Amino acid sequence: MMRLYIQSCVLLLIMTCGFFNSNAQNLISKDTINNERLYRPYIHFTPKTGWMNDPNGMFFQNGTYHLYYQFYPNATVWGPMHWGHATSKDLIHWEHKPIAIYPDSLGLIFSGSAVVDKNNTSGLGTQKNPPIISIFTQHSMEGEKAGKNNFQNQSIAYSNDGGNTWKMYTGNPVIKNPGINDFRDPKVLWHEPTKRWIMVLAVKNKVFLYSSANLKEWDKESDFGELLGNHEGVWECPDLFQLSGNGKNYWVLSVSVNPGGPNKGSATQYFVGDFDGHQFSTNSNKTKWLDYGTDNYAGVTFSNTGNRKIAIGWMSNWLYAQQVPTYKWRSAMTIGRELGLQEVGEEMFVTSMPVKELKFYKSSVLSEGPITQTSAYQLNVQGSKINSFTITLQNEEGESLDFGYDQATNQYFIDRSFAGVHDFHKEFAALHSAPRISTNSNFTFKVLIDKTSIEIFADNGLTVMTDIFFPSSPYNSVTIQSTNEELRKNIKMSSFLAQ
Ligand code: FRU
């Protein structure tokens, strides 16, 4: 009865609105459904509603991946930050969970990380039930408005139920701001040789490294990066992790910079070197980018994944993130990527490839020409000799997305100039390019295409590009152009089962 009453009230309201502006109402509802159908990705994580930016606090435990993220539930633009939460068994299918951490009197909940405190060093759990500790920046809006310079401080929260619910530590903040405007995004790891926790923190144009025995008291060890890498923008969201390559272990320090990216706006750079428990050092002074596309920012790795190093990034760019044409939600995450190291010449480079779990979702094999199936796609091209090639996705509107390799410049590229809607930002429609790092004549080129994103992993992940786009209708044909017949014949495509 009550439901019937509410329903008729809603109907009455709609009819009343309709009386004044029936066309506009119809358009909005149709548009919303259409927008959802057109733009909500199949195999990439998006919040149900609201605004999302950086991935936060990612950890793995008992077969479950936890993803937290910068979340503003009340609008589709950036606002007071919470930590949203989702879990997955395979990094592809995500289950939405209630908001994990809410702002409190110390401020909003900015980016940070989480660790499994196996030995209960913090004393915030028990030996039998070790706690999960999250470490994040609290940003005081009041402090910022009052013109202070110490409005970003580091706090911790703890979970005694595997990351589902969190309690704020009463001794927060655990690191007080010494009077520096940009002082944020703590990423914490366990350093076995010194048996201490290490934190890497973004501080204006460099990173600070801290150590701790218990995650509550921290000592500054060193800083890194003031004179290295790209400094066109502020440094944010650093990470520090080990990878092996050429039978040796290396340390990688990655850090996002905004603006300053190789194709404008936000992007993530990295350094390969050594970490002795106190200081990070590198022999290389080359600026290296994890991803040359415009849409992979603030990416960091999961903790507690053993020898696998898995990263996820925010698939957008601060240049236009708040204007992209989605209504109910804004932004998606990149596909989970497994990181590795490869030597080219004298330099070590980080490689990224989509996580192997994606294999379980491959369904039918496709071929060049019309695409009838609506789903996400994977494309693989390989050959013994690389020559220029262009792959084109097109829709009935004549909008097209071009991507491939240009031999004259030795660059991979994505051209989204004519890919679809772009009037929301003047710099969105553009051609983006990336250097080919590999010096081999043979090549591999793996591409993931979802409704609004393309991720290219060339040469086993040595050159990576991620771009988003917004076609007015789904692309329904794929063609490949190249003077090299072998390359044309070697294109393999398959679709993924829709989520
Ligand atoms: C990066 C960033 C972080 C900050 C968060 C706020 O995109 O600016 O430095 O913690 O977003 O939402």
Side-chain angles (χ1 to χ4, degrees):
M1 186 62 195
M2 189 62 183
R3 229 174 87 203
L4 207 70
Y5 174 73
I6 294 173
Q7 274 175 359
S8 25
C9 286
V10 171
L11 200 69
L12 196 71
L13 196 74
I14 293 173
M15 278 163 61
T16 322
C17 293
F19 178 76
F20 294 112
N21 194 349
S22 68
N23 269 347
Q25 280 300 317
N26 278 342
L27 273 178
I28 288 166
S29 57
K30 262 195 219 148
D31 265 10
T32 311
I33 297 164
N34 204 25
N35 189 266
E36 187 78 11
R37 181 183 63 81
L38 266 177
Y39 295 153
R40 176 83 76 180
Y42 289 112
I43 57 167
H44 291 83
F45 178 76
T46 48
K48 265 195 200 153
T49 56
W51 165 267
M52 173 176 84
N53 54 293
D54 318 354
N56 295 146
M58 296 188 291
F59 75 94
F60 176 70
Q61 195 186 33
N62 301 331
T64 300
Y65 293 90
H66 289 260
L67 163 69
Y68 303 86
Y69 52 90
Q70 288 288 278
F71 185 43
Y72 182 47
N74 301 333
T76 47
V77 288
W78 191 91
M81 284 289 119
H82 303 55
W83 271 24
H85 183 204
T87 58
S88 174
K89 298 275 178 207
D90 61 7
L91 294 155
I92 310 295
H93 289 93
W94 293 95
E95 194 181 314
H96 292 282
K97 296 277 177 182
I99 290 177
I101 310 182
Y102 284 81
D104 70 4
S105 60
L106 291 180
L108 313 179
I109 314 300
F110 271 23
S111 287
S113 50
V115 292
V116 182
D117 183 12
K118 285 181 189 151
N119 296 319
N120 192 28
T121 60
S122 62
L124 294 168
T126 59
Q127 281 291 343
K128 247 182 102 192
N129 184 27
I132 315 291
I133 308 292
S134 60
I135 311 96
F136 44 84
T137 301
Q138 287 208 270
H139 178 104
S140 160
M141 288 294 239
E142 293 74 39
E144 187 184 14
K145 275 191 202 130
K148 295 191 174 154
N149 57 10
N150 61 351
F151 51 85
Q152 295 187 335
N153 294 278
Q154 317 318 318
S155 290
I156 64 175
Y158 57 103
S159 171
N160 302 120
D161 62 4
N164 286 319
T165 59
W166 295 85
K167 293 180 210 90
M168 282 289 189
Y169 171 56
T170 49
N172 281 338
V174 293
I175 298 183
K176 277 204 176 136
N177 190 315
I180 308 172
N181 277 349
D182 295 297
F183 190 72
R184 59 178 179 268
D185 309 339
K187 180 74 164 74
V188 173
L189 60 138
W190 176 251
H191 187 250
E192 186 55 29
T194 54
K195 301 234 178 305
R196 292 178 93 72
W197 297 102
I198 300 295
M199 177 197 292
V200 54
L201 187 74
V203 183
K204 248 187 168 80
N205 59 346
K206 56 185 157 202
V207 298
F208 281 3
L209 289 141
Y210 294 84
S211 71
S212 171
N214 57 17
L215 295 158
K216 298 189 286 203
E217 285 134 346
W218 292 91
D219 296 313
K220 187 176 170 210
E221 294 282 346
S222 57
D223 57 57
F224 171 81
E226 194 166 1
L227 302 172
L228 281 171
N230 182 292
H231 284 279
E232 281 171 53
V234 66
W235 280 22
E236 302 183 310
C237 300
D239 197 356
L240 179 65
F241 50 89
Q242 256 190 316
L243 286 176
S244 51
N246 287 350
K248 264 172 59 186
N249 284 333
Y250 291 84
W251 283 88
V252 176
L253 196 153
S254 66
V255 63
S256 287
V257 60
N258 178 54
N263 282 294
K264 287 204 178 146
S266 325
T268 305
Q269 58 185 327
Y270 67 89
F271 308 90
V272 183
D274 193 24
F275 176 62
D276 62 5
H278 307 281
Q279 195 141 28
F280 177 83
S281 56
T282 178
N283 291 329
S284 168
N285 56 12
K286 205 172 150 55
T287 301
K288 296 170 180 161
W289 299 100
L290 260 191
D291 191 315
Y292 282 85
T294 39
D295 299 289
N296 178 5
Y297 192 61
V300 284
T301 58
F302 279 85
S303 63
N304 207 34
T305 48
N307 287 334
R308 283 183 92 186
K309 268 290 144 205
I310 301 166
I312 288 184
W314 173 46
M315 201 152 55
S316 199
N317 190 311
W318 281 117
L319 253 190
Y320 44 70
Q322 304 193 73
Q323 285 110 48
V324 297
T326 54
Y327 296 153
K328 277 174 69 178
W329 84 98
R330 272 218 177 94
S331 305
M333 293 298 180
T334 66
I335 209 74
R337 297 167 182 196
E338 188 142 358
L339 305 182
L341 267 186
Q342 203 185 310
E343 188 170 30
V344 180
E346 305 274 275
E347 296 278 348
M348 295 303 294
F349 290 90
V350 173
T351 59
S352 320
M353 287 298 276
V355 288
K356 60 177 189 295
E357 284 79 354
L358 206 52
K359 280 198 213 125
F360 306 137
Y361 297 97
K362 267 210 267 175
S363 59
S364 46
V365 174
L366 307 170
S367 52
E368 202 180 336
I371 309 172
T372 49
Q373 215 173 343
T374 39
S375 128
Y377 304 98
Q378 177 172 299
L379 243 123
N380 279 300
V381 190
Q382 61 183 65
S384 56
K385 190 166 180 310
I386 190 156
N387 292 106
S388 295
F389 65 92
T390 300
I391 300 173
T392 304
L393 294 173
Q394 206 165 8
N395 63 14
E396 267 150 18
E397 267 69 29
E399 294 164 343
S400 60
L401 178 77
D402 286 350
F403 52 96
Y405 171 72
D406 175 47
Q407 199 162 9
T409 54
N410 195 28
Q411 285 179 332
Y412 291 104
F413 65 89
I414 299 174
D415 189 353
R416 66 178 179 194
S417 305
F418 307 101
V421 181
H422 58 77
D423 57 357
F424 53 90
H425 193 277
K426 63 179 185 331
E427 297 196 82
F428 189 82
L431 165 72
H432 301 144
S433 51
R436 179 166 195 246
I437 294 166
S438 170
T439 50
N440 295 342
S441 66
N442 60 340
F443 75 102
T444 63
F445 188 76
K446 184 188 271 296
V447 188
L448 293 185
I449 296 152
D450 206 328
K451 285 187 200 164
T452 50
S453 64
I454 175 166
E455 295 165 279
I456 296 180
F457 306 90
D459 303 308
N460 297 316
L462 261 180
T463 300
V464 177
M465 295 185 85
T466 303
D467 269 19
I468 56 173
F469 49 80
F470 300 92
S472 313
S473 71
Y475 297 130
N476 59 3
S477 85
V478 55
T479 47
I480 176 165
Q481 281 176 294
S482 176
T483 47
N484 183 342
E485 262 310 299
E486 181 210 4
L487 194 149
R488 290 204 45 174
K489 273 191 258 147
N490 276 346
I491 180 166
K492 290 199 178 67
M493 289 195 289
S494 50
S495 61
F496 291 110
L497 292 172
Q499 258 188 322

